[in-house]
Structures are given as C-alpha cells and as structure tokens.
Amino acid sequence: MKSGLSDLMTIGIPAILFGMLALGMMVHRELGPFVGLTPEGKWLLTVALGMGILAFVLKLGVAQLLVQSPENTIDRLTHTDFLHQARADSDKGDFLNPAPNRPRQYVWATLPTTAPEPADNPGTLAKIALGKHLFNEKQLSGDASLSCASCHDLYEKAGSDARRTAIGIANQVGARNVPTIWNAAFQSVLFWDGRVPSLEAQAKGPILNPIEMGMSTPAEAERRLNADPTYRARFALAFGEGQAITFERIVQAIAAYERTLITADTPYDRYVRGESTALNQAQLRGMALFEAVGCVLCHRGPNFSDASLLDGETPLRFFPANPTPYDEKYKLLTESGERGVWRVPSLRNVALTGPWLHNGSVDKLDEVVRIMASAQLGRSTQLMTWLNKDSALDKVDRSPLSDRDIHDIVAFLESLSSDGLRKKMAPTTP
Ligand code: HEC
Ligand code: HEC
C-alpha cells in the first residue's frame, strides 16, 4: 500500500521533471527556431504542452489513490448499503454464482442441528453411545497408546490437536495438519484431498494407518474388543443380540457418533436467525467482504464449504490457484512443485483450529486470509506497480485487500466459532 505511493514518488517525480526538461529543450532548440517563435511564444508553448503532462500525472495520482483506499469508499456506507451494493455487483456477472441452478443472490444460511445419515447406518442412541466409547478407545491403536480423541481433542482443541502436523504412535510425525471433526458430518468428501466419501470409510483409515494408530489388521481390532465383555454388551445393544463385533460395525458406530458433533451455536448463526446484535460492526463488514470479494465462491453454504452434503457442487479446487511468493514461503506446492487439488475446508470454528492449511504451515489467521485473497482470488498485484523484480512491468490486476479488510474478515471468521467450544477453550487461548 505505502510502497505503491512511494514507487509513484521515486520513479514518477524524476520522470516528470525529466519529461518537462526534455520538452523545454525541444521547444527552445528545435521547434522554436524552426517556426520562428518569439521567446514569449516559446514559453507559452512549453507551458501548454507541459499542462498535458501534468494532467496525465494528476490522473495517475487520482487512480492510484482510488485503488489504494477502497475502504474510504466503503466507509461512507452502512453495512446494509454495502451488502446491497455487493449483491447488485454480483448480479452483473456469474462470478459469485457460477452454477445455473443456484439463486443469483447469495443466501446466508444457518447450520441444521442434525446431519444427513446414510440409510444403512441410522444413528440410534445405543450406537451413538458405543461410537463415543470407541472414539476414546486406545485399544484401537497398535500399541494401545492413541485413540481418535488423542488427535481430535474435541473440547480442549476444538476437535484438532493444535499441532502443525499429526503425531502418531511411536511419535511418528505425519505430513498433514489435523482437521477438526466438528461438523465433518456435513462434508461430502473427507480428508484434505477429499479422497474418501463417507465418515464410515474415513474411520478405517487412521486405525490401520501405520503412522497414525498403527493397528495391524481389522481382525486384530475385532479380537481386542471381543475380549472385553462390556464391548460385547454395547455392540449387542447397538446392533442387536447375537451380532458379531466386526470392523465394519466399529466404524459404523464411530461415524454415527461423529454425526452428532455439530456446532450451530455461533454468533453468526444467531445473527442469521435474527439476533441483529450478535455480530459487531467489524464482523458485519467482514461478512459483507467475505461475500463481495468472492470467498463464498468456494466457502459457501451453511458449513462454509462447497464440499457439502447440503448443497455442495464443486468440492475440490486448485490451491494455490495463482502463483504468489507464499508458495515458497509456506511450501504450498506439492512435492513435485505443482499446485495441488484440495477439498474446500469448512470454516466453522476455524479461528480455534490453528495452525492452518493442509501442511499446518501458517500460524496466523490473518496471514491465511491474505494467502487466500491473493492465491485464490488474485488480490495481490497492485494496479500500478511499475517494476517487479525482473524489471518488467507488472500485470494490471486487482488490488490487495487492505489491512482493515483483512482484520474485518478475520473478525467475521471468529464469529463462526461455537459459543460452547470457545468457553471450553478460553483458559488456553491467548
Ligand atoms: C495420529 C493422529 C490421528 C488420529 C489418531 C486420528 N486422526 Fe483423524 N485425522 C488426522 C489427520 C492428520 C487427518 C487429515 C489427513 C489427511 O487429510 O490426509 C485426519 C482426518 C480425519 C477426518 C476428516 C475430517 C475432514 O474434515 O476431512 C475425520 C472424520 C477423522 N480424521 C476422524 C478420525 C477418527 C474417527 C479417528 C479414530 C478412528 C481418527 N480420526 C484418528 C489425524 C488423526
Ligand atoms: C477458489 C476457491 C477458494 C476461494 C475463493 C477461497 N478459498 Fe479458502 N480455501 C480453499 C481451499 C481449497 C483451502 C484448503 C487449502 C489447503 O489445502 O491448504 C482453503 C483454506 C482456507 C482456510 C484455512 C482452513 C484451515 O482449516 O486451515 C481459510 C481460513 C480460508 N480458506 C479462508 C478463505 C477466505 C477468507 C477467503 C476469501 C478471502 C477464501 N478462503 C477464498 C479454497 C478457496
């Protein structure tokens, strides 16, 4: 922002002075004698031509100021004005609503308090209770040291582990950040790369993964639970008398439990339900920006993800979509140096689940928003950056978001945190 103006000063002003000098010399040495101008005539002509240069410079200056302070334009509008304006703008193109069967106006929605469930695994109370036990069961790991809850700490860590990447049995370090499992029940595909289609299919992964829970075989998991009479009784209650303890039923019970992990108790949901004071000014402005700059292109719908069972259409996206210096800084590209294809994550409780991104490389939420704005929305290159490091003119592009914009979007993201979880975490969060 500041650098844009000083670029204008350091390169622009000498260029103008040089231009005026050249003009003066041209009029006095070449043009003047050729057409026989008097000394006064020479001055007049110099000034007349000089005005052209000045007018051009003035235009550049005004354009630069407009580009640099979008917040000044926004300031004078109330939140509702701004939202109306943003919605009217989005109506002009299909940018925000690329799918033809979607309403053109973006609709803010609250999260349902029950999640969709597959027909072959209804969540009965007995099954959900069994699933909760299994979720906390360390016997499901090879050396009986880890349960699902070890990495997905539901209350202290909002369903994640507050680490950069996961730590499995025997302290093995994983490659990926642990996503929260709160509201995972609404996602149409799971894992950072969206490689599994259901919670049932997902739960098999970590139990057998050698660097996570490291269970040798499904049969070994079944054998261990079978040896425990309380589990035999719980399985009988959940699946019927005489039904065997199978690996399939273990993951069914865990999935049924996970479908109850829903946080619709956020300031955002209260606001959408009509409690107009639930969000403060910064959050309201952040909410409008979240829509206006295009975050809703991917983080859309009640679970803030297009990978949604509710109305998701394009679950996977390139990330980073545009090359930026962040690629290098946070190692965002795949091992082969390409942009990856990732599932659009939900942003519910995102303020509580740092560090962020698939590799857990970013510690600050405002930095994640900056990365998103530039890598996913092209809000990075200044309209008038004169020279980049390769001494070429930069391409004309959309301006980066201002610090205030970023601050307000972060404030809005904070309003997606569950009231209940926030209270539980309050003592440990700074
Ligand atoms: C060693 C740590 C660890 C343990 C133990 C663990 N997980 Fe995970 N979990 C992860 C990591 C890391 C990911 C992301 C992996 C990826 O995307 O490739 C993940 C992803 C998930 C997801 C997907 C969430 C989403 O939004 O995509 C669910 C659901 C989940 N785990 C449930 C479980 C269950 C159920 C168990 C126990 C059976 C379990 N996890 C055990 C580390 C762990
Ligand atoms: C083109 C699609 C797209 C757009 C537009 C987009 N995002 Fe994202 N967002 C993603 C994807 C994909 C990821 C997962 C990145 C990864 O795998 O590390 C993500 C990740 C995130 C995360 C980190 C989630 C976590 O748990 O680590 C946040 C926060 C976020 N986005 C916020 C935003 C905001 C705010 C905007 C608007 C300024 C935005 N996104 C625009 C696709 C998008």
Side-chain angles (χ1 to χ4, degrees):
M1 176 125 316
K2 286 240 172 58
S3 78
L5 257 190
S6 60
D7 276 1
L8 196 71
M9 298 295 177
T10 50
I11 305 180
I13 290 182
I16 294 162
L17 291 178
F18 182 77
M20 296 293 273
L21 191 72
L23 187 73
M25 280 172 55
M26 212 173 74
V27 171
H28 280 262
R29 295 256 180 92
E30 311 284 336
L31 218 54
F34 182 70
V35 288
L37 279 181
T38 58
E40 294 78 28
K42 286 180 188 169
W43 278 111
L44 270 176
L45 189 63
T46 309
V47 169
L49 292 174
M51 290 310 251
I53 294 184
L54 280 178
F56 177 66
V57 169
L58 214 64
K59 273 188 215 164
L60 282 185
V62 169
Q64 180 80 6
L65 278 178
L66 282 180
V67 166
Q68 291 197 334
S69 42
E71 66 268 34
N72 291 347
T73 342
I74 293 163
D75 248 354
R76 275 176 262 116
L77 302 173
T78 65
H79 162 72
T80 349
D81 291 338
F82 183 61
L83 210 56
H84 278 310
Q85 188 191 318
R87 286 187 171 150
D89 286 349
S90 77
D91 268 352
K92 284 181 199 138
D94 285 335
F95 175 60
L96 291 183
N97 292 288
N101 54 343
R102 277 191 173 145
R104 284 189 146 249
Q105 291 232 320
Y106 186 73
V107 181
W108 294 101
T110 63
L111 198 62
T113 47
T114 53
E117 57 184 20
D120 62 354
N121 190 25
T124 60
L125 284 181
K127 200 190 283 176
I128 291 166
L130 168 62
K132 184 172 178 178
H133 280 286
L134 293 170
F135 190 82
N136 292 286
E137 182 53 77
K138 293 188 172 166
Q139 286 299 330
L140 286 178
S141 64
D143 60 1
S145 67
L146 292 183
S147 68
C148 309
S150 308
C151 293
H152 300 283
D153 184 335
L154 291 181
Y155 298 103
E156 299 284 317
K157 308 274 161 50
S160 178
D161 64 352
R163 292 191 170 115
R164 215 172 269 293
T165 60
I167 302 210
I169 62 167
N171 290 324
Q172 298 177 88
V173 180
R176 298 224 175 127
N177 177 258
V178 179
T180 181
I181 55 166
W182 285 103
N183 311 305
F186 292 102
Q187 296 296 75
S188 58
V189 290
L190 297 158
F191 283 137
W192 283 100
D193 52 11
R195 66 185 180 278
V196 297
S198 72
L199 287 170
E200 282 81 359
Q202 191 285 327
K204 295 177 182 172
I207 300 179
L208 299 172
N209 188 327
I211 71 160
E212 290 188 342
M213 296 166 81
M215 182 61 88
S216 52
T217 60
E220 172 62 8
E222 293 165 358
R223 194 195 61 75
R224 286 195 195 176
L225 296 183
N226 243 315
D228 182 339
T230 53
Y231 269 119
R232 290 203 297 272
R234 288 192 189 115
F235 270 86
L237 268 179
F239 291 98
E241 211 58 57
Q243 300 293 324
I245 297 182
T246 62
F247 196 55
E248 209 56 51
R249 292 195 174 119
I250 294 173
V251 298
Q252 281 191 333
I254 293 177
Y257 170 58
E258 288 176 304
R259 288 198 178 92
T260 66
L261 301 176
I262 296 170
T263 59
D265 63 328
T266 72
Y268 162 80
D269 293 277
R270 285 189 273 119
Y271 177 78
V272 174
R273 282 193 221 105
E275 192 186 312
S276 62
T277 55
L279 301 186
N280 63 30
Q281 281 305 113
Q283 292 172 324
L284 288 174
R285 188 171 171 277
M287 180 173 169
L289 283 170
F290 190 86
E291 175 179 350
V293 304
C295 308
V296 296
L297 191 60
C298 298
H299 299 283
R300 60 177 303 128
N303 205 25
F304 290 82
S305 166
D306 207 12
S308 170
L309 287 172
L310 303 172
D311 69 346
E313 279 177 4
T314 315
L316 305 180
R317 306 287 171 121
F318 280 114
F319 172 77
N322 308 305
T324 65
Y326 297 122
D327 296 357
E328 177 82 9
K329 189 168 179 196
Y330 297 112
K331 309 271 172 285
L332 299 180
L333 299 176
T334 63
E335 271 161 24
S336 47
E338 283 156 24
R339 54 200 182 129
V341 175
W342 302 101
R343 188 265 319 256
V344 177
S346 164
L347 298 183
R348 283 187 176 268
N349 301 308
V350 74
L352 307 177
T353 59
W356 293 274
L357 300 182
H358 61 272
N359 56 3
S361 56
V362 186
D363 297 324
K364 292 261 169 14
L365 192 52
D366 58 345
E367 184 77 343
V368 183
V369 175
R370 271 191 201 95
I371 295 172
M372 283 290 135
S374 60
Q376 301 304 84
L377 290 162
R379 306 285 301 230
S380 55
T381 330
Q382 291 219 323
L383 192 59
M384 265 175 282
T385 306
W386 298 78
L387 297 172
N388 65 20
K389 63 180 185 331
D390 309 320
S391 300
L393 264 184
D394 255 356
K395 72 174 180 189
V396 174
D397 209 330
R398 280 179 287 170
S399 62
L401 297 181
S402 71
D403 286 347
R404 182 177 168 215
D405 292 345
I406 300 282
H407 169 273
D408 291 354
I409 292 176
V410 169
F412 173 61
L413 293 179
E414 280 163 0
S415 82
L416 306 179
S417 297
S418 148
D419 295 333
L421 286 183
R422 238 173 340 155
K423 279 200 202 94
K424 289 252 176 3
M425 293 181 68
T428 48
T429 40

